């Protein structure tokens, strides 16, 4: 018989503003405490080491998503919106929507978009650099580019696109506790949810695009007509904020690592590696929850059935047990294997779309910008799930 270890307890609040501003010390403390830690403040369990987080992500049978990937437990609590068919579902319910999105966002679609997105990136960078060498990278580049190209690819109309970021921001805040960040978004929830739902209807979408392709899959019987708008909603919820923050992460990394920027300029084919290394290093998606489907053994400890487990993706991505010199942003590293996009059957279905956006923007910048550095203090944007930037002032010199 195997002995069961006592689970260490921590009083830390991972959703406090102090921790959201700089979570690295907390991540290190949780990793050192053990393979699993009890967070007393919320009575949930947490994992911060790479091995345990990776193992939980690929074990959907033991660590379910269908009870919600936030703190709220759908076994007992009413979700604030109909649950996602991808993020908040497990097989078999998860299978058909996932298959459809994988095809819709597959290599053929991305090849079709690639040329247009490169041209769009070059046009945007030219626009920005035509009048200035100093600017705030968040509004003019890292938010502007995804909001320019992704809604077009989905087939959204031009009206109301400014609703996408606040809607996504609230959706990711809602995975955490009901704190001031959730309260901040609450007054607009009905309005933003209504707008997003309206965009997911067949009639609202362009005849060509990801949205039309999802509805066409329902016409072929691959998903039901009731599923189609929820699959479109998954794109609009998870496809914008995450990419914005991923692009912000890579630009911040380069603005603070001039040697790595020089390296990218001398070899632009490193753009994709740079994006993945920034996703590992900064982890735009910091955390997700799972629910234990049975008493699960983690290390020498047992987490009881039905309990929520908080996976610190960001802590796993800097775990020295897995990564050499984990706090360094380094383009000579192979960042594959990071859990910034998840892992297993729930791994981010749109990750190749995000990579293409990043590659397009970085390639355009590398061609036109010789140096990039911070031009003032940066400002974080706090979110219960996301690591985000409000402002990254940069100074550039033209190539």
């Amino acid at each position: 018989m195997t002995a069961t270890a006592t689970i260490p307890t921590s009083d830390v609040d991972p959703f406090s503003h102090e921790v959201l501003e700089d979570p690295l010390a907390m991540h290190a403390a949780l990793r050192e405490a053990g393979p699993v830690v009890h967070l007393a403040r919320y009575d949930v369990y947490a994992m911060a080491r790479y091995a345990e987080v990776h193992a939980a992500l690929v074990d959907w049978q033991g660590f379910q998503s269908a009870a919600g990937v936030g703190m709220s437990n759908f076994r007992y609590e009413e979700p604030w919106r109909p649950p996602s068919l991808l993020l908040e579902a497990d097989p078999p319910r998860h299978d058909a929507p996932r298959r459809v999105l994988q095809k819709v966002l597959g290599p053929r679609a991305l090849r079709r978009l690639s040329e247009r997105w490169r041209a769009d990136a070059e046009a945007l960078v030219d626009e920005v650099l035509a009048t200035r060498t100093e600017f705030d990278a968040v509004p003019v580049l890292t938010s502007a580019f995804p909001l320019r190209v992704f809604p077009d690819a989905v087939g959204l109309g031009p009206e109301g696109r400014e609703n996408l970021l606040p809607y996504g921001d609230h959706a990711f805040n809602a995975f955490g506790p009901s704190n001031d960040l959730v309260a901040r978004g609450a007054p607009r929830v009905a309005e933003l949810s209504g707008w997003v739902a309206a965009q997911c209807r067949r009639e609202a979408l362009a005849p060509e695009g990801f949205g039309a392709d999802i509805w066409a899959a329902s016409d072929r019987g691959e998903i039901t007509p009731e599923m189609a708008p929820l699959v479109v909603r998954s794109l609009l919820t998870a496809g914008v904020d995450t990419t914005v923050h991923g692009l912000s992460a890579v630009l911040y990394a380069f603005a603070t690592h001039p040697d790595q920027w020089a390296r990218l300029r001398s070899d632009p084919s490193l753009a994709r590696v740079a994006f993945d290394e920034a996703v590992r290093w900064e982890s735009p998606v910091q955390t997700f929850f799972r629910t234990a489907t049975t008493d699960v053994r983690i290390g020498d400890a047992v987490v009881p059935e039905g309990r929520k487990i908080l996976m610190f993706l960001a802590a796993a991505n800097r775990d020295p047990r897995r990564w050499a010199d984990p706090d360094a942003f380094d383009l000579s590293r192979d960042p594959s294997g990071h859990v910034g996009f998840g892992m297993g059957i729930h791994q981010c279905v749109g990750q190749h779309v995000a990579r293409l956006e990043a590659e397009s923007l970085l390639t355009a910048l590398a061609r036109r910008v010789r140096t990039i550095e911070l031009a003032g203090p940066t400002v974080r944007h706090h979110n219960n799930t996301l690591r985000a930037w409000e402002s990254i002032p940069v100074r550039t010199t033209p190539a």
Side-chain angles (χ1 to χ4, degrees), residues 326-345:
D327 295 332
F329 172 75
D330 180 5
L331 298 196
S332 63
R333 183 196 307 279
D334 173 8
S336 61
H338 73 73
V339 291
F341 289 121
M343 203 51 82
I345 65 163

Side-chain angles (χ1 to χ4, degrees), residues 45-244:
Y45 294 88
M47 298 186 293
R49 294 180 182 176
Y50 181 89
E52 285 74 23
V53 168
H54 185 279
L57 285 167
V58 298
D59 178 12
W60 60 267
Q61 296 97 330
F63 298 86
Q64 71 171 161
S65 295
V69 296
M71 190 174 283
S72 172
N73 193 327
F74 294 175
R75 294 181 182 189
Y76 322 109
E77 297 167 61
E78 186 70 27
W80 68 279
R81 57 172 200 171
S84 163
L85 297 179
L86 284 103
L87 201 58
E88 297 162 329
D90 293 307
R93 186 172 161 75
H94 169 267
D95 297 341
R98 173 85 189 190
R99 258 195 314 272
V100 165
L101 257 194
Q102 262 172 325
K103 197 190 295 178
V104 167
L105 305 177
R108 185 184 299 175
L110 296 189
R111 275 197 301 276
R112 205 171 58 230
L113 288 169
S114 162
E115 212 169 299
R116 191 186 324 156
W117 283 8
R118 284 178 210 285
D120 282 338
E122 288 179 13
L124 176 63
V125 170
D126 283 344
E127 239 168 74
V128 170
L129 296 177
T131 54
R132 60 212 142 157
T133 54
E134 270 191 43
F135 49 86
D136 184 346
V138 175
V140 304
L141 287 179
T142 65
S143 293
F145 186 61
L147 283 171
R148 181 182 280 210
V149 298
F150 188 72
D152 282 350
V154 174
L156 290 197
E159 299 303 313
R161 290 180 175 194
E162 69 282 354
N163 292 325
L164 288 168
L165 287 177
Y167 176 75
D169 190 55
H170 183 74
F172 282 100
N173 271 326
F175 291 131
S178 189
N179 59 10
D180 62 311
L181 291 169
V182 175
R184 184 180 69 194
R188 296 194 65 200
V189 170
E191 168 213 346
L192 294 172
S193 300
W195 180 83
V196 166
Q199 309 317 303
C200 298
R201 297 189 347 264
R202 188 199 291 262
E203 320 73 86
L205 293 158
E208 283 185 14
F210 297 153
D213 293 345
I214 289 164
W215 277 101
S218 97
D219 294 338
R220 292 191 299 271
E222 293 168 24
I223 52 173
T224 66
E226 292 73 33
M227 287 175 167
L230 288 176
V231 176
V232 178
R233 191 193 72 183
S234 288
L235 286 182
L236 300 184
T237 311
V240 186
D241 289 63
T242 49
T243 309
V244 167

Side-chain angles (χ1 to χ4, degrees), residues 223-295:
I223 52 173
T224 66
E226 292 73 33
M227 287 175 167
L230 288 176
V231 176
V232 178
R233 191 193 72 183
S234 288
L235 286 182
L236 300 184
T237 311
V240 186
D241 289 63
T242 49
T243 309
V244 167
H245 305 321
L247 291 175
S248 295
V250 75
L251 276 198
Y252 174 77
F254 278 129
T256 52
H257 296 76
D259 55 325
Q260 301 301 309
W261 179 250
R263 195 168 183 163
L264 175 72
R265 290 202 67 234
S266 64
D267 182 4
S269 72
L270 287 171
R272 285 199 178 205
V273 169
F275 182 62
D276 268 286
E277 172 64 350
V279 169
R280 180 203 68 82
W281 184 67
E282 177 79 352
S283 295
V285 178
Q286 294 273 292
T287 50
F288 270 132
F289 284 85
R290 292 289 189 266
T291 304
T293 58
T294 180
D295 290 357

Side-chain angles (χ1 to χ4, degrees), residues 321-367:
R321 296 163 188 79
R322 166 64 176 82
W323 309 97
D325 198 7
D327 295 332
F329 172 75
D330 180 5
L331 298 196
S332 63
R333 183 196 307 279
D334 173 8
S336 61
H338 73 73
V339 291
F341 289 121
M343 203 51 82
I345 65 163
H346 290 97
Q347 191 171 29
C348 171
V349 71
Q351 59 185 291
H352 301 301
V353 179
R355 285 192 183 100
L356 181 59
E357 290 180 63
E359 186 182 22
S360 304
L361 189 59
L362 288 174
T363 306
L365 277 168
R367 224 175 263 157

